[in-house]
Amino acid sequence: RKEVEQDPGPFNVPEGATVAFNCTYSNSASQSFFWYRQDCRKEPKLLMSVYSSGNEDGRFTAQLNRASQYISLLIRDSKLSDSATYLCVVSPMNTGFQKLVFGTGTRLLVSP
Amino acid sequence: DVKVTQSSRYLVKRTGEKVFLECVQDMDHENMFWYRQDPGLGLRLIYFSYDVKMKEKGDIPEGYSVSREKKERFSLILESASTNQTSMYLCASSLPAPNYGYTFGSGTRLTVV
């Protein structure tokens, strides 16, 4: 089983739609969680951290469910510029050195 | 603006060549990483370093080595390039605890012919 699993998509949505992605992780001791955004042929960039109480940044809302070991990202009022691949990222705690584990990403296509 | 800079954006090398990929960060980060990214496989960790002259194998170190002689510079070496090493290579850096995530370089697309 992969440490971090995501639906690869693509999710095709019209402008203005609300879209949600989920991600599951296998290590129950994981401590840090993130969503990264990656545009085509570009490097991943940090979109937002995910906190236990949930957090919001403008049109983006991230939620963490530790009991079910999943993370979600909600995008409201989708823009064309939101088209990208969204990577779910987790920091497991079973190693002495904390390093991040990346999901393979969910592709979002927002159309006019 | 803080940066992770990779020396080449595109690189074409021949099978059997020794290849050096350079990465420099200006954030005084302790940790540095080399990943490769392939379609359907996502980001896979090759090597990482948590201090000068320290290096640790990641998930796919075979065929690669690294060098970290200075804090700001982390080099990836392909000892004898092969066609299955054609990929996008991404360097990243972070503070000791990754609570703030990683900062990535813009990547090097390597083609081995």
Side-chain angles (χ1 to χ4, degrees):
Chain A
R1 183 186 171 188
K2 289 182 181 178
E3 286 190 79
V4 179
E5 294 205 62
Q6 296 182 251
D7 181 342
F11 284 59
N12 290 285
V13 302
E15 266 187 298
T18 296
V19 61
F21 310 134
N22 284 338
C23 157
T24 58
Y25 60 94
S26 60
N27 188 328
S28 60
S30 297
Q31 292 295 314
S32 300
F33 308 89
F34 308 89
W35 283 101
Y36 274 70
R37 171 197 169 122
Q38 187 172 23
D39 293 297
C40 189
R41 297 183 179 276
K42 300 276 191 175
E43 74 273 22
K45 292 186 177 177
L46 180 63
L47 178 66
M48 59 196 302
S49 300
V50 185
Y51 303 120
S52 296
S53 55
N55 48 299
E56 191 174 302
D57 183 2
R59 298 182 293 109
F60 298 83
T61 301
Q63 297 276 355
L64 169 63
N65 185 320
R66 285 190 183 273
S68 301
Q69 292 178 216
Y70 79 79
I71 307 152
S72 65
L73 178 67
L74 181 79
I75 306 175
R76 291 181 300 278
D77 189 23
S78 299
K79 312 291 184 191
L80 295 176
S81 57
D82 293 334
S83 296
T85 297
Y86 291 84
L87 306 175
C88 174
V89 185
V90 172
S91 176
M93 278 293 286
N94 60 346
T95 57
F97 179 84
Q98 290 189 43
K99 58 182 190 285
L100 300 184
V101 178
F102 289 78
T104 52
T106 297
R107 193 168 171 215
L108 172 65
L109 299 171
V110 182
S111 54
Chain B
D1 192 20
V2 292
K3 276 188 178 177
V4 177
T5 303
Q6 293 183 231
S7 53
S8 304
R9 188 77 179 95
Y10 297 95
L11 213 51
V12 180
K13 295 291 182 181
R14 294 191 181 278
T15 301
E17 275 193 80
K18 190 169 187 175
V19 181
F20 294 86
L21 302 183
E22 304 288 345
C23 175
V24 177
Q25 51 98 1
D26 64 1
M27 295 169 282
D28 202 33
H29 282 171
E30 284 79 2
N31 300 340
M32 296 189 74
F33 307 84
W34 274 106
Y35 287 86
R36 63 178 284 178
Q37 187 174 30
D38 301 285
L41 297 177
L43 283 125
R44 293 182 291 168
L45 182 62
I46 304 171
Y47 266 97
F48 63 97
S49 168
Y50 53 87
D51 202 353
V52 177
K53 297 192 185 295
M54 305 302 290
K55 58 186 178 184
E56 295 286 341
K57 293 180 180 178
D59 301 317
I60 51 162
E62 296 79 18
Y64 303 94
S65 62
V66 290
S67 172
R68 194 162 180 206
E69 296 297 317
K70 294 184 178 182
K71 189 176 185 179
E72 67 270 19
R73 186 179 297 270
F74 192 36
S75 303
L76 179 69
I77 304 151
L78 285 66
E79 298 292 342
S80 177
S82 63
T83 54
N84 64 12
Q85 292 179 309
T86 292
S87 186
M88 170 68 94
Y89 289 87
L90 289 156
C91 175
S93 71
S94 79
L95 294 167
N99 299 45
Y100 299 100
Y102 294 176
T103 301
F104 283 90
S106 55
T108 296
R109 186 164 294 277
L110 172 68
T111 302
V112 182
V113 297

